[in-house]
Amino acid sequence: MNRRIFSRNVLMAGIAVPSIGMGINPDPVGSGLQDNEKNNIPEREFDVVVAGGGTAGVIAAIASARQGAKTALIETRGYPGGTVVEGGTALHSFFNLWKAFPGVEKRQVVVGIPQEIIDRLLAVGGTSGHNEMTTNYDYDSACTSIDTELYKLIAFEMLAEAGVFIYVNTMVTDAVRKGSAIEGVITESKNGRELFKANCFIDCTAYGDLSARAGASFIELNDHSVCNSMGVANVNIEKLYEYLRSINSVGQLTFGIRDGKENQIVRFGSEGSALGSTGLPKEYLDGMRELGAGLITTTVHDNYLMFIKVNYRLPVSPTDRDEVAKAELIIRQNQLKTINLFKKYLPGCENAFIARTSPSLNIRRGRTITCDYDITSEDVLQRRHFEDDIMVYGFHDEAPRLQVKNGGTYGVPYKALRVKGIDNLLAAGMLITSDHHAHMSTRNTVCCMGQGQAAGTAAALCAISKRGTRQLPYPDLKNALKKDNVYLES
Ligand SMILES: Cc1cc2nc3c(=O)[nH]c(=O)nc-3n(C[C@H](O)[C@H](O)[C@H](O)COP(=O)(O)OP(=O)(O)OC[C@H]3O[C@@H](n4cnc5c(N)ncnc54)[C@H](O)[C@@H]3O)c2cc1C
């Protein structure tokens, strides 16, 4: 038989992956495989397969492996991290919005594995810590800045330590269905095509690639800009800050650890870049607006702005490869124009240069996957909780215009992670929640991380006990999450 056998694979846990079988279930959904190919691709077997090693997926895989499930993480890039290391500015938010509501208690509402990552980053100088906002705290009361490169490393290490089988540079391209369950996912890599079988799967691809390939229903709303965030080096942060202060234009000012020193500026921005209402030169503001650029940024290093975002509005959904290709070029051109505006108009940025860009543009929303429950804006704003909460959350990206009521939290229910119509598929991250104003909360990094821990835990419990995702008793999940330091309000 003309079988391609790749017996040595990723060894992050120090364990080879020997499981290579003889054929796959002849019932693929839209796989495009020929019969002879189906019978000739190597198979691997796991308890849980996590597709996408980004913000949610890293934590899902760690949580699953720690429950004792043999877990594979499949990530198309060469490193884990996803949009949290490529798109965002600060991690919003481990806390409730306590500062906006005098008398409301400060609570850290996301703990668990997300907090472990922050602890590990702190130990290597990779985060500013959890820092209180000194202005605009009706938007967020605390934010957490990270070093993107160290985040990638720490995530990699924690996955390996948990015993996750890590397949980077590997893309999930298809799914094989058996009745109402997924039997396996097809991947492509330098090793060629492979089949990863498992009892339970988690879609953390942000775009919902796995769910879509497996035949789940989805919508594509195209209600956000796409973006490429760049790191800007050679900036005199204090000089820039003094300039913005002198024209009364500082917003989101936050102090924390920067290059080992406490009480340094770690987040700030010019209020006027979007609003055009400050002492910044009109030519600068007009240019920034035209480019879709903004100057709300974070830093954990002297002389370096970690994220400067350049946004672009696509005419179609960001799953359209050809439109995305055009946007990739336009955004890169606009990044250079943005830097030139900085150099010309912003004191402290005279010698700035682009030190890092994201490998490809970032998406605020691609596909939204239909799950058993779709969190609504009323759920978020009215701080509703559910009988099957798997985490709680208190940040809303449109605050103070839209806030979680009175600095409280809402619950993310387990049913919001169960992909409708498929027995063994969960979803976590920005791909759940269709309602725009609810999504403006659930899509944020720390919410995606919390969802990841719950999805990984649930998938492992289901896989080990050979149950479908709807057969998992909620008390079992809740107990496991609480044991692993997940904060719940009941
Ligand atoms: C420009 C921008 C700015 C933002 N700013 C902030 C902010 O300031 N604060 C905040 O809290 N949030 C912010 N967000 C939101 C937040 O960063 C994202 O919503 C969140 O990180 C998404 O997490 P995720 O796990 O769903 O997806 P991701 O982190 O994107 O992870 C998806 C992973 O799946 C991989 N993948 C995709 N397809 C496949 C496939 N077929 N096979 C294998 N792997 C695949 C990707 O490479 C990626 O690693 C921002 C988002 C954007 C786009």
Side-chain angles (χ1 to χ4, degrees):
M1 180 179 277
N2 181 23
R3 273 204 301 148
R4 290 172 294 171
I5 297 181
F6 306 101
S7 58
R8 284 184 56 79
N9 276 280
V10 178
L11 299 167
M12 301 313 304
I15 309 165
V17 185
S19 172
I20 296 178
M22 296 278 296
I24 62 173
N25 186 284
D27 184 25
V29 169
S31 76
L33 292 177
Q34 299 302 311
D35 274 358
N36 60 340
E37 287 176 294
K38 280 190 291 180
N39 291 327
N40 282 300
I41 67 173
E43 292 184 10
R44 301 175 185 286
E45 288 201 26
F46 294 91
D47 296 319
V48 173
V49 165
V50 181
T55 317
V58 162
I59 294 176
I62 294 171
S64 170
R66 286 187 185 174
Q67 289 295 327
K70 184 182 175 192
T71 305
L73 177 67
I74 302 169
E75 165 57 42
T76 191
R77 300 211 195 286
Y79 54 86
T83 308
V84 71
V85 297
E86 291 168 10
T89 50
L91 309 192
H92 297 299
S93 177
F94 285 82
F95 293 84
N96 64 326
L97 195 65
W98 87 95
K99 283 190 93 170
F101 298 91
V104 167
E105 187 196 358
K106 172 182 179 180
R107 279 171 298 149
Q108 180 165 352
V109 300
V110 177
V111 195
I113 298 171
Q115 179 57 40
E116 283 181 45
I117 294 184
I118 299 304
D119 293 340
R120 294 279 292 257
L121 283 169
L122 258 178
V124 294
T127 176
S128 63
H130 299 309
N131 313 122
E132 288 193 20
M133 303 263 271
T134 65
T135 67
N136 305 76
Y137 42 76
D138 50 359
Y139 167 65
D140 197 358
S141 295
C143 70
T144 312
S145 306
I146 55 159
D147 180 307
T148 55
E149 301 313 309
L150 291 174
Y151 193 105
K152 293 173 191 171
L153 172 64
I154 293 298
F156 231 135
E157 286 181 345
M158 287 178 68
L159 287 161
E161 289 162 18
V164 174
F165 291 77
I166 310 165
Y167 298 87
V168 287
N169 301 310
T170 304
M171 186 172 202
V172 171
T173 56
D174 219 330
V176 179
R177 279 275 293 262
K178 187 176 188 184
S180 55
I182 296 175
E183 188 177 31
V185 297
I186 309 271
T187 64
E188 293 279 356
S189 71
K190 290 273 189 278
N191 279 22
R193 188 176 295 188
E194 294 170 280
L195 175 71
F196 286 70
K197 286 177 152 184
N199 293 329
C200 199
F201 296 83
I202 313 176
D203 187 346
C204 293
T205 60
Y207 286 68
D209 286 13
L210 169 55
S211 305
R213 296 290 178 204
S217 84
F218 60 85
I219 50 173
E220 296 187 58
L221 291 165
N222 190 29
D223 56 346
H224 286 281
S225 296
V226 295
C227 174
N228 188 315
S229 283
M230 56 179 169
V232 177
N234 225 8
V235 173
N236 184 328
I237 290 170
E238 271 62 40
K239 190 172 168 190
L240 174 57
Y241 165 71
E242 279 307 323
Y243 167 68
L244 293 174
R245 199 181 58 81
S246 72
I247 56 170
N248 205 20
S249 292
V250 180
Q252 304 211 5
L253 183 62
T254 310
F255 297 89
I257 304 168
R258 201 178 79 201
D259 272 338
K261 300 178 290 285
E262 307 254 0
N263 259 326
Q264 307 296 304
I265 295 169
V266 293
R267 178 174 174 85
F268 69 119
S270 72
E271 282 298 280
S273 58
L275 306 174
S277 61
T278 72
L280 284 156
K282 184 174 180 318
E283 297 76 10
Y284 166 83
L285 292 173
D286 288 348
M288 291 286 278
R289 201 174 294 113
E290 203 174 305
L291 294 168
L295 179 59
I296 302 281
T297 188
T298 61
T299 177
V300 296
H301 296 298
D302 300 341
N303 311 321
Y304 185 60
L305 305 179
M306 197 67 69
F307 288 108
I308 295 293
K309 295 178 197 173
V310 177
N311 292 291
Y312 181 75
R313 198 76 180 85
L314 278 175
V316 294
S317 169
T319 54
D320 184 317
R321 182 198 58 194
D322 300 340
E323 284 299 328
V324 165
K326 291 182 209 161
E328 296 276 13
L329 171 61
I330 292 166
I331 291 181
R332 284 182 188 278
Q333 290 168 330
N334 289 347
Q335 286 177 325
L336 179 60
K337 289 178 188 163
T338 302
I339 281 294
N340 287 337
L341 282 178
F342 277 28
K343 287 164 83 157
K344 186 166 176 191
Y345 292 107
L346 297 182
C349 296
E350 295 83 352
N351 300 310
F353 65 91
I354 301 172
R356 174 199 65 81
T357 62
S358 303
S360 54
L361 56 75
N362 314 124
I363 312 290
R364 289 182 172 86
R365 159 124 85 177
R367 298 186 189 93
T368 301
I369 304 303
T370 309
C371 292
D372 284 352
Y373 185 75
D374 194 6
I375 298 169
T376 67
S377 29
E378 283 299 286
D379 293 337
V380 170
L381 302 176
Q382 298 304 320
R383 56 180 203 182
R384 288 191 185 130
H385 288 267
F386 299 84
E387 67 292 345
D388 58 344
D389 277 357
I390 47 86
M391 66 173 290
V392 306
Y393 194 58
F395 172 75
H396 197 293
D397 210 10
E398 293 170 286
R401 194 169 65 80
L402 297 176
Q403 293 170 323
V404 180
K405 196 172 169 185
N406 297 336
T409 65
Y410 65 93
V412 176
Y414 176 50
K415 52 182 166 276
L417 309 184
R418 288 192 311 247
V419 176
K420 196 166 186 155
I422 301 183
D423 295 343
N424 60 346
L425 178 61
L426 298 172
M430 70 180 205
L431 73 182
I432 67 162
T433 313
S434 66
D435 178 322
H436 179 88
H437 298 298
H439 183 252
M440 287 296 279
S441 178
T442 64
R443 76 175 169 86
N444 286 280
T445 48
V446 182
C447 190
C448 293
M449 291 168 146
Q451 293 169 39
Q453 180 157 0
T457 305
L461 295 177
C462 291
I464 290 167
S465 60
K466 302 227 173 348
R467 275 186 285 213
T469 56
R470 289 171 190 80
Q471 276 75 56
L472 177 64
Y474 173 66
D476 292 1
L477 177 56
K478 183 177 177 180
N479 289 341
L481 292 173
K482 285 204 149 180
K483 201 164 135 272
D484 291 338
N485 214 13
V486 169
Y487 177 93
L488 292 168
E489 291 192 337
S490 63

